[in-house]
């Protein structure tokens, strides 16, 4: 028999749809690119809701369930407001460094974290209509969604001390800010490499994680292309 992985890239997408028995092996391809199983499951969840005859009511129910899950996982901060969710690249050393800056300066305990690649991260991205492979930090605050430089600066704006002053950089036009953000983002692995186990196991960070994810070194979709 021929596995999906042996098919040429243009054929993989249709091969994954046609080879029903192989789906049980949790190998998924989207547009010829292998994707993590949890990413495909999130896609299928949304596709199922949209294809349903009562798609509107089904979609509303799924959104309500996810919103309820988030409310339970996030809770409220010490000043009584709903916590913010920060989604970040679970392989990125720079991203974990950013979390290490945020946590000790978040005296009001406002932020919780999850990798973009985690099951919860993928579900939230699908819910908010964002690409499941988005290459950006994402901030969810009071049902608002911020990405790229706007996400980073809004997070910094809620921290203690001089770090919050960096939020004034939002006066710079967003296209210029995002250009600088993307220049750093695209070269972050070249500059700093992947996250270390020491970074990922820091107790002050793991205590604030609402979902986790571990990269599979044998999965080609997890190979850095920066």
């Amino acid at each position: 028999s021929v596995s999906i992985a042996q098919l040429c890239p243009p054929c993989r997408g249709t091969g994954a749809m046609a080879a029903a028995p192989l789906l049980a092996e949790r190998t998924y391809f989207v547009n010829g690119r292998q994707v993590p199983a949890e990413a495909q499951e999130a896609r299928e969840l949304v596709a199922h809701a949209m294809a349903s005859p009562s798609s509107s009511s089904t979609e509303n129910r799924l959104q309500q369930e996810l919103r309820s899950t988030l409310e339970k996982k996030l809770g409220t901060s010490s000043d009584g407001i709903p916590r913010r969710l920060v989604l970040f690249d679970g392989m990125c050393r720079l991203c974990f460094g950013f979390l290490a800056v945020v946590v000790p300066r978040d005296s009001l305990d406002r932020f919780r974290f999850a990798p973009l690649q985690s099951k919860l991260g993928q579900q939230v991205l699908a819910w908010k209509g964002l690409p499941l492979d988005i290459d950006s930090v994402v901030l969810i605050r009071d049902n608002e969604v911020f990405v790229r430089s706007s996400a980073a600066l809004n997070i910094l704006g809620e921290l203690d001390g001089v770090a919050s002053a960096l939020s004034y950089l939002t006066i710079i036009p967003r296209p210029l800010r995002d250009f600088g953000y993307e220049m750093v983002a695209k070269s972050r692995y070249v500059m700093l490499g992947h996250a270390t186990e020491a970074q990922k196991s820091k107790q002050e960070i793991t205590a604030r994680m609402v979902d986790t994810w571990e990269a599979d070194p044998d999965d080609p979709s997890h190979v850095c292309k920066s």
Side-chain angles (χ1 to χ4, degrees):
S1 61
V2 179
S3 69
I4 298 174
Q6 293 174 311
L7 297 174
C8 62
C11 300
R12 288 173 179 169
T14 55
M17 295 294 291
L22 291 179
L23 290 176
E25 299 177 4
R26 300 173 65 82
T27 300
Y28 299 95
F29 290 87
V30 175
N31 295 328
R33 176 185 174 191
Q34 187 175 354
V35 297
E38 57 267 27
Q40 181 63 10
E41 288 164 0
R43 291 176 191 270
E44 291 173 351
L45 183 67
V46 175
H48 174 73
M50 297 304 293
S52 171
S54 56
S55 60
S56 179
S57 60
T58 304
E59 186 176 10
N60 288 338
R61 179 177 57 80
L62 292 172
Q63 290 180 356
Q64 290 171 0
E65 290 176 357
L66 181 55
R67 186 180 291 109
S68 176
T69 298
L70 279 179
E71 289 175 354
K72 291 177 181 178
K73 285 180 175 287
L74 298 179
T76 56
S77 63
S78 58
D79 58 342
I81 65 173
R83 288 196 179 102
R84 292 74 166 94
L85 176 63
V86 177
L87 302 178
F88 67 98
D89 179 359
M91 292 194 297
C92 171
R93 186 172 189 173
L94 179 62
C95 301
F96 274 95
F98 181 66
L99 300 191
V101 170
V102 171
V103 170
R105 294 166 179 82
D106 180 26
S107 62
L108 295 176
D109 193 23
R110 288 184 173 178
F111 292 101
R112 289 294 181 267
F113 312 110
L116 289 161
Q117 301 95 331
S118 67
K119 183 176 181 178
L120 179 64
Q122 292 287 293
Q123 288 176 335
V124 171
L125 291 176
W127 173 35
K128 296 299 183 181
L130 295 172
L132 298 183
D133 59 351
I134 188 171
D135 193 19
S136 168
V137 63
V138 177
L139 169 65
I140 310 294
R141 182 179 69 190
D142 298 329
N143 291 323
E144 287 188 281
V145 182
F146 301 88
V147 297
R148 301 183 179 87
S149 63
S150 296
L153 294 176
N154 273 278
I155 293 168
L156 293 172
E158 297 197 49
L159 302 183
D160 307 328
V162 296
S164 63
L166 292 172
S167 65
Y168 289 106
L169 292 175
T170 53
I171 64 174
I172 299 173
R174 186 171 56 82
L176 289 178
R177 287 189 278 112
D178 283 350
F179 176 77
Y181 178 94
E182 290 175 0
M183 290 292 289
V184 173
K186 289 179 179 178
S187 58
R188 66 190 186 277
Y189 288 112
V190 174
M191 293 189 299
L192 297 173
H194 289 71
T196 65
E197 289 303 318
Q199 282 182 307
K200 292 187 286 186
S201 61
K202 283 188 176 181
Q203 185 175 359
E204 59 269 30
I205 292 177
T206 58
R208 296 196 183 202
M209 299 286 280
V210 293
D211 202 359
T212 58
W213 173 82
E214 288 294 332
D216 179 357
D218 298 322
D219 186 339
S221 69
H222 298 159
V223 175
C224 170
K225 297 180 176 63
S226 298

